[in-house]
Amino acid sequence: MSNHKNIVKREPNLLKFLQYGIYLIAFIPLVIFSQYISPFHFGKVFVFRSLIEILAVFYLVLIVKYGKQFLPPRTALFWAISIFTAAFGLATFTSINFYQSFFGTLERMGGWFSFIHFWGFFVIATSVLRKKEEWLTFIKLSLFASLLSAFYGFLQKTDISWVIGSGGRAKIFGTIGNSALFAGYMIINAFMALMLYFKPSASVNEKRFYIAVFILDAFAVLLTGVRGSVLGVIVGILVFGFLYSYSFGSVRLKKMTIGFFVLVIAVAGILYSLRNTDFVKSNQYLSRYADISPKAYTVQTRTWAWRAGFNGWNDSFKSMIFGWGPEMFNIPFSKHFNPKFFRGLGSETLFDRAHNQFLEVLFTMGLVGFLTYLFIYFVAFRDLKRLNSSPEEKVFKIGLISALVAYMIHNSFIFDTSANYIMFFLVLGFINFLSQRTIQSSQSSMTYEFKNKGLLVNIIGIILAIAAIFSIYRFEVIPAKANYATTRAIIASWSGNHDLAFEKFKKAMSYDTFGKYDIRHRYNQYILELANRGKVDEKTGQRLLVAVENTKKNVAESPQDYLPYLYISRSYILLGKNDPNSEYNDLALENSLKAFEISPTFVRTYYEVAQVYLNKKDYQKAIEWFEKVVELNPEVGLSYWYLGITLAQAGQLQKGAETIEKSDYDYKSNEADALRMAEIYLRMKNFQKVAEIYEALIKLNSKNPQYFASLAVAYREIGQIDKAIKAAQTASQIDPAFAKEAQNFIDSLR
């Protein structure tokens, strides 16, 4: 093999290919896989990771062929990001669930495996984008993509059927799928547009494009209704205005910035003072922005989640230093669950993220991860501070500082996912480039040296290509197949084709790949909903057992997670419902109590334990558990309902009725619950209450003749004869089959 050196000035084709590949990443935030679970995250990560692995093959071939001149510049920011990536890995290896910390969850698509790809994105981008113009091209493409995402968000305010999320949506989410995450994506693009608008060499047409992007992206943030993000934009604008006026001595911009600040304060004051008026309450945006009280429910839930995270972080020396593991915030959240989260069925009682990126890192990666994460920001701001050699550099410094400040404020109330990480690393990459003055000044005379390594390059390229194909198939294609099979199962269940749904779920679970935890739980949710709607026949019973066996795998993989135990318990409860002596009830109790050990303050666990005792006809034990849950959170009317009904089943009719009536549980708004209360009051011979309940039932369903017939009887018992006759006549009018009985009833009253 020849060692002859070759010197060329023309850019290698490999380099151009890699540059175009990096440019494509600007459009990944637009990717939506509409036929998949987590359509706004799964597709983006699928495409991003696949693209990075393909680019990595060509990048490594480039290094083999051209040597170290294409290695990433070892700047402080490169080392800061690399150290955090290593800390991320350390937290993964010490995690309580390595698999989930490594691959992440199907919903968020995080984990160390994905983050390594973002590190690879930074390495390749900083290695192959070697000129200022190339970085600016990347940024401009990102701005264009953000415009498309913003317009998609605006269309969500319409009724256009092909737009996912359309239908006059209150809070738009663009192509990102979550209003807060969409706001974060818009924020960075908005401030990069503002930065380029003030770039001295920008042409008139360019300025028009940049200011349009800034205005539309900022407006999109406003339409998300995310208060923390709007605050970030406001502070970012103020930072930009004051820094620019200070750096360039612009009196006009200084006055405009002060005016903007005064305007914001004035608008905020007026909005707050009018917060209780009909005008503000009737507007979904004004009412949200006017509600800045620390007692606002969303503010309280964030506070409760952070407190649970801090309590979990303090659990042990290990959790303080290394955290619970990436993607594992749900564990400390559950261990220290605040019962106030539970307000009734449908309440959001599971936070898989801390909704604060900085605290998320602290709780899941410990002090090691937290300090290395902060170090990235420290180095970025330090590098930006040093940029003062030209007016253009000053503008870049001001714009990037403003973007990072706004993004940090935004991230104090949310977390990062794929689209946001792309923008974050784009900013870090540009900062990294700007900090290298020697590279900037030498681009015009860049030469490329390589040795004649044709055979070696080909061999290495083939090996790397095979590895990339295997990786993409194993970690992207197979999970995509499992994901798609799951959505086919869900769609089949919607149409009532439960045999097909069951087969598709079995197929999805058989892949045993990334996302398997979520797929197993989705199957369990489906079969539980099906079983709750009707009688548990033999076929449904067998499918419940399939759910149990698959969910047991989640228990084995994540033994400190209470949720799989509750799914198993609920399945056994349904299987043992009609037999007090069934072994399924004992198994249900065993699993419920395991969930209770993990999360002793989780309200739903108490319900499950009590339900097992109801199956066993042990009413006293059931009452004890319902009494405990009432004490746990006295504000939940549903708990009083369950307690009252159980007391009535135990023969304590008066106490049961009083327990229900003293709560705020609105049983009259639900036909089934109202009928159960009517039966209790009928047994108590309290016909006044029976009449009130049937009056409420008729408002819910005025076409049911039996409701009028029962109301007629109740009216008769309380002496309201005219009303009794009218109710009986109405019953016969709705259904002639009631005519004879109604007439006999009326005759008996005369």
Side-chain angles (χ1 to χ4, degrees):
M1 187 178 298
S2 172
N3 290 321
H4 177 67
K5 294 182 179 180
N6 295 271
I7 306 294
V8 297
K9 289 190 176 182
R10 182 175 59 85
E11 286 189 342
N13 290 330
L14 272 176
L15 179 61
K16 292 180 179 179
F17 176 84
L18 287 164
Q19 290 169 349
Y20 286 122
I22 291 296
Y23 293 155
L24 281 176
I25 291 174
F27 295 98
I28 286 178
L30 302 178
V31 173
I32 301 172
F33 277 22
S34 61
Q35 298 300 310
Y36 289 73
I37 291 172
S38 191
F40 292 94
H41 297 301
F42 185 85
K44 290 177 178 61
V45 177
F46 176 95
V47 174
F48 174 76
R49 293 198 309 213
S50 300
L51 180 57
I52 290 298
E53 290 178 25
I54 292 169
L55 293 179
V57 172
F58 289 95
Y59 175 63
L60 292 173
V61 169
L62 183 72
I63 291 175
V64 171
K65 187 171 183 179
Y66 289 92
K68 63 181 181 180
Q69 61 184 312
F70 282 106
L71 288 174
R74 264 75 80 199
T75 61
L77 195 51
F78 165 81
W79 288 117
I81 294 170
S82 298
I83 291 170
F84 175 68
T85 304
F88 201 135
L90 181 61
T92 298
F93 282 101
T94 59
S95 171
I96 59 171
N97 185 339
F98 170 80
Y99 188 91
Q100 186 162 312
S101 291
F102 187 81
F103 285 110
T105 64
L106 192 60
E107 175 67 20
R108 305 298 184 193
M109 303 292 290
W112 192 42
F113 183 65
S114 288
F115 195 84
I116 291 172
H117 287 74
F118 285 105
W119 177 82
F121 163 49
F122 177 84
V123 167
I124 297 172
T126 56
S127 300
V128 303
L129 301 183
R130 302 159 70 83
K131 301 175 184 177
K132 180 185 65 177
E133 292 74 18
E134 293 165 355
W135 278 102
L136 292 180
T137 297
F138 192 10
I139 292 172
K140 291 172 186 177
L141 290 172
S142 178
L143 298 183
F144 179 68
S146 76
L147 267 186
L148 297 178
S149 187
F151 281 122
Y152 193 87
F154 299 151
L155 291 176
Q156 287 163 346
K157 305 291 287 184
T158 71
D159 294 320
I160 299 174
S161 59
W162 57 265
V163 176
I164 301 176
S166 63
R169 189 169 188 82
K171 298 167 62 178
I172 67 172
F173 52 65
T175 60
I176 310 302
N178 174 286
S179 296
L181 298 176
F182 175 58
Y185 171 67
M186 289 286 110
I187 283 172
I188 290 184
N189 278 289
F191 281 98
M192 287 198 300
L194 190 63
M195 171 187 74
L196 294 183
Y197 174 81
F198 283 91
K199 187 168 72 77
S201 60
S203 67
V204 174
N205 287 334
E206 285 179 327
K207 284 181 176 291
R208 289 172 180 168
F209 172 71
Y210 298 143
I211 198 63
V213 173
F214 173 73
I215 292 172
L216 291 171
D217 284 6
F219 183 60
V221 174
L222 192 67
L223 291 185
T224 64
V226 181
R227 289 163 293 191
S229 302
V230 173
L231 176 63
V233 170
I234 291 171
V235 174
I237 291 173
L238 293 173
V239 169
F240 188 97
F242 284 121
L243 286 179
Y244 190 92
S245 59
Y246 172 78
S247 298
F248 291 94
S250 175
V251 176
R252 181 170 175 268
L253 188 60
K254 183 177 181 180
K255 290 180 178 178
M256 290 176 63
T257 305
I258 294 173
F260 175 74
F261 177 72
V262 172
L263 179 64
V264 168
I265 296 299
V267 170
I270 293 171
L271 197 57
Y272 184 75
S273 64
L274 298 176
R275 66 190 183 281
N276 294 320
T277 63
D278 292 337
F279 172 72
V280 172
K281 287 183 176 180
S282 63
N283 186 287
Q284 57 192 0
Y285 291 108
L286 294 180
S287 59
R288 183 167 180 80
Y289 291 128
D291 186 10
I292 57 175
S293 168
K295 294 183 179 180
Y297 185 66
T298 53
V299 175
Q300 289 184 318
T301 57
R302 296 291 191 273
T303 304
W304 297 336
W306 297 339
R307 188 174 298 139
F310 274 114
N311 289 336
W313 180 68
N314 279 318
D315 272 353
S316 68
F317 178 78
K318 183 262 178 186
S319 61
M320 293 180 69
I321 302 302
F322 302 113
W324 288 84
E327 301 289 302
M328 298 307 300
F329 177 74
N330 61 305
I331 301 301
F333 175 82
S334 302
K335 286 173 66 71
H336 301 279
F337 180 79
N338 189 326
K340 292 181 180 180
F341 271 105
F342 187 83
R343 306 173 80 180
L345 298 179
S347 299
E348 186 178 13
T349 56
L350 181 62
F351 273 39
D352 62 347
R353 296 289 180 91
H355 289 74
N356 179 309
Q357 180 65 17
F358 301 96
L359 294 182
E360 171 76 17
V361 173
L362 176 64
F363 301 150
T364 61
M365 303 183 206
L367 283 173
V368 173
F370 181 67
L371 294 176
T372 55
Y373 181 65
L374 290 183
F375 187 58
I376 294 175
Y377 281 96
F378 170 79
V379 173
F381 281 117
R382 187 201 63 181
D383 287 351
L384 287 171
K385 183 181 178 182
R386 295 173 176 175
L387 298 179
N388 285 302
S389 64
S390 68
E392 185 177 76
E393 275 198 357
K394 290 181 181 180
V395 170
F396 289 156
K397 174 178 72 173
I398 294 166
L400 293 170
I401 287 175
S402 303
L404 287 177
V405 168
Y407 193 63
M408 290 175 73
I409 293 172
H410 158 82
N411 261 7
S412 296
F413 303 96
I414 193 62
F415 45 84
D416 279 323
T417 53
S418 56
N420 308 74
Y421 267 138
I422 287 172
M423 299 311 305
F424 184 52
F425 279 95
L426 191 163
V427 168
L428 294 179
F430 190 43
I431 294 172
N432 189 72
F433 170 78
L434 293 173
S435 68
Q436 304 165 67
R437 291 194 177 90
T438 55
I439 289 183
Q440 284 181 273
S441 62
S442 63
Q443 294 306 315
S444 59
S445 59
M446 176 65 70
T447 59
Y448 304 93
E449 177 184 315
F450 68 94
K451 295 181 179 180
N452 187 4
K453 297 181 179 179
L455 179 60
L456 178 60
V457 168
N458 291 336
I459 293 173
I460 292 176
I462 291 171
I463 294 172
L464 291 173
I466 293 172
I469 291 170
F470 172 80
S471 176
I472 292 171
Y473 181 77
R474 180 69 182 86
F475 301 118
E476 313 301 339
V477 175
I478 291 180
K481 287 183 176 181
N483 190 322
Y484 187 75
T486 304
T487 59
R488 298 312 93 190
I490 293 171
I491 291 172
S493 70
W494 291 344
S495 62
N497 191 342
H498 298 297
D499 289 338
L500 178 61
F502 176 67
E503 291 304 317
K504 289 296 182 181
F505 268 120
K506 280 184 64 178
K507 182 179 180 181
M509 291 185 290
S510 69
Y511 285 108
D512 194 30
T513 186
F514 163 72
K516 56 188 177 180
Y517 176 98
D518 306 85
I519 293 171
R520 291 166 185 159
H521 276 182
R522 284 180 182 272
Y523 170 66
N524 212 321
Q525 289 172 339
Y526 154 69
I527 201 65
L528 287 175
E529 290 172 3
L530 181 63
N532 277 321
R533 289 200 297 265
K535 184 179 179 182
V536 180
D537 55 21
E538 183 178 352
K539 180 184 286 188
T540 304
Q542 289 300 316
R543 291 175 178 177
L544 279 169
L545 290 174
V546 170
V548 167
E549 291 308 309
N550 278 281
T551 308
K552 283 180 178 178
K553 297 176 182 177
N554 284 352
V555 169
E557 293 166 7
S558 190
Q560 296 193 53
D561 186 355
Y562 73 91
L563 195 58
Y565 288 112
L566 286 186
Y567 276 128
I568 293 171
S569 173
R570 172 52 55 175
S571 299
Y572 282 139
I573 285 172
L574 289 171
L575 288 165
K577 190 173 183 179
N578 299 317
D579 181 4
N581 298 315
S582 171
E583 64 174 342
Y584 291 130
N585 292 322
D586 296 325
L587 291 170
L589 183 60
E590 177 185 336
N591 281 276
S592 293
L593 292 176
K594 286 180 179 177
F596 176 74
E597 290 176 11
I598 294 170
S599 182
T601 53
F602 187 64
V603 174
R604 291 293 294 268
T605 305
Y606 290 75
Y607 291 169
E608 297 302 316
V609 174
Q611 183 60 55
V612 175
Y613 285 118
L614 286 175
N615 278 10
K616 289 172 166 286
K617 305 299 183 185
D618 189 341
Y619 296 114
Q620 189 53 46
K621 279 287 188 182
I623 289 169
E624 289 176 9
W625 278 89
F626 281 131
E627 286 176 338
K628 289 178 183 178
V629 79
V630 166
E631 294 175 5
L632 196 64
N633 186 356
E635 298 176 4
V636 180
L638 184 64
S639 299
Y640 290 93
W641 165 256
Y642 287 146
L643 174 59
I645 289 296
T646 306
L647 287 167
Q649 286 180 284
Q652 301 180 53
L653 298 175
Q654 185 67 35
K655 187 175 181 181
E658 289 175 355
T659 298
I660 294 169
E661 295 292 357
K662 76 178 182 180
S663 75
D664 62 355
Y665 185 73
D666 184 16
Y667 62 83
K668 292 180 182 178
S669 64
N670 180 286
E671 286 189 62
D673 291 348
L675 287 170
R676 294 187 73 175
M677 282 301 293
E679 181 184 353
I680 291 172
Y681 281 120
L682 189 61
R683 290 167 62 189
M684 295 170 61
K685 300 189 181 304
N686 187 338
F687 293 101
Q688 181 63 48
K689 280 289 187 181
V690 172
E692 291 176 7
I693 292 172
Y694 277 103
E695 287 171 349
L697 281 167
I698 287 169
K699 290 180 180 179
L700 294 175
N701 184 358
S702 60
K703 301 299 182 181
N704 190 324
Q706 185 59 57
Y707 290 169
F708 286 95
S710 299
L711 179 60
V713 173
Y715 280 149
R716 181 191 65 188
E717 296 299 323
I718 60 178
Q720 296 186 18
I721 304 303
D722 290 342
K723 288 186 175 181
I725 293 173
K726 185 175 180 180
Q729 290 173 337
T730 303
S732 64
Q733 290 170 1
I734 295 172
D735 186 354
F738 279 76
K740 183 176 181 180
E741 184 180 351
Q743 189 58 51
N744 292 336
F745 175 80
I746 293 171
D747 291 341
S748 71
L749 298 177
R750 292 171 176 167

